Amino acid sequence: MHVLKQDLKMISEVFMGQLRQLFGLKSESLYVGGFATSVLLTSEKGFAEWELDVLSRHHTCFNLLQCGTTLGSLSRLVQSLPRMIIMDEIGKQVKYSLEAAKLSFGNVSLGYSDASAVSSRKARALAEDAFYHPSMMSVSYYSFEHCFAVYSDVMVPQVHVKQMMVRLFSVYETMLTQQRDQHSI
């Protein structure tokens, strides 16, 4: 099959336009803001350098937001289960996640977008690793109801035995008092 150069150019332009829309970028080069209208430089390759920078910054913000949300959820989970034992490995992952998030914020403020994106991905991954650690998952699904269901088969028969012993003891005591009363008459 032979494709003409003009047809291939049209196909690639449509593809790039749709790809830009998927990434949330407009294909127009005119930007109307609240205070002014600007002409944005576009690239013939499909993406301008500033557009890639914007996408990187959006991705960095998303990663940092997800990191904060995950660590907040982990904090609420730990506070809701007071008998939960936290392994040192999880504490280290949380610590390193917070350090990576702080580094990402520092890199953004210095203008290092690429380093900030890497740090934000690391922060998010460490936060999710801490939250989804196997020891955390087993404890979070090990509720009081689960303990009651598992140990009731062991504990309930003992309660019945103790109740019967108390009842037998009271019956025995009653019989002893009746015998004393008969002997005293």
Side-chain angles (χ1 to χ4, degrees):
M1 182 173 155
H2 187 263
V3 179
L4 297 175
K5 190 175 183 179
Q6 291 176 335
D7 292 339
L8 189 57
K9 184 179 179 189
M10 276 188 5
I11 291 170
S12 64
E13 286 175 355
V14 169
F15 176 76
M16 288 307 295
Q18 290 177 347
L19 188 61
R20 290 173 58 81
Q21 285 181 346
L22 283 173
F23 285 128
L25 298 173
K26 295 182 180 180
S27 295
E28 304 163 357
S29 62
L30 188 65
Y31 174 73
V32 179
F35 298 108
T37 301
S38 303
V39 176
L40 303 174
L41 300 176
T42 58
S43 172
E44 292 186 17
K45 296 179 182 177
F47 293 98
E49 190 68 32
W50 69 268
E51 291 174 322
L52 295 175
D53 189 48
V54 166
L55 289 174
S56 176
R57 288 175 189 254
H58 280 289
H59 187 68
T60 299
C61 289
F62 177 76
N63 282 338
L64 291 173
L65 179 68
Q66 290 299 314
C67 173
T69 303
T70 303
L71 290 176
S73 297
L74 180 62
S75 173
R76 285 188 297 281
L77 175 67
V78 170
Q79 290 173 0
S80 70
L81 299 170
R83 66 180 183 274
M84 178 184 276
I85 299 169
I86 307 297
M87 295 177 59
D88 290 339
E89 181 182 347
I90 296 169
K92 287 178 184 176
Q93 287 175 332
V94 169
K95 178 184 172 188
Y96 295 147
S97 175
L98 290 172
E99 288 174 358
K102 185 177 179 181
L103 180 63
S104 180
F105 278 118
N107 286 334
V108 160
S109 64
L110 295 174
Y112 303 132
S113 298
D114 294 338
S116 180
V118 169
S119 297
S120 72
R121 276 193 297 271
K122 185 176 180 182
R124 180 181 177 190
L126 286 166
E128 289 176 352
D129 287 347
F131 186 82
Y132 292 111
H133 193 274
S135 66
M136 292 295 291
M137 298 306 290
S138 65
V139 171
S140 65
Y141 290 111
Y142 189 72
S143 63
F144 177 73
E145 292 82 10
H146 176 76
C147 289
F148 184 75
V150 168
Y151 293 115
S152 65
D153 291 340
V154 176
M155 300 302 283
V156 170
Q158 291 179 6
V159 170
H160 291 300
V161 169
K162 289 178 183 177
Q163 285 177 342
M164 278 305 272
M165 289 178 65
V166 167
R167 193 174 300 147
L168 284 173
F169 183 72
S170 67
V171 168
Y172 177 72
E173 196 174 300
T174 307
M175 287 174 53
L176 279 178
T177 53
Q178 285 177 357
Q179 284 180 357
R180 277 189 222 148
D181 290 343
Q182 286 179 354
H183 288 295
S184 65
I185 299 182

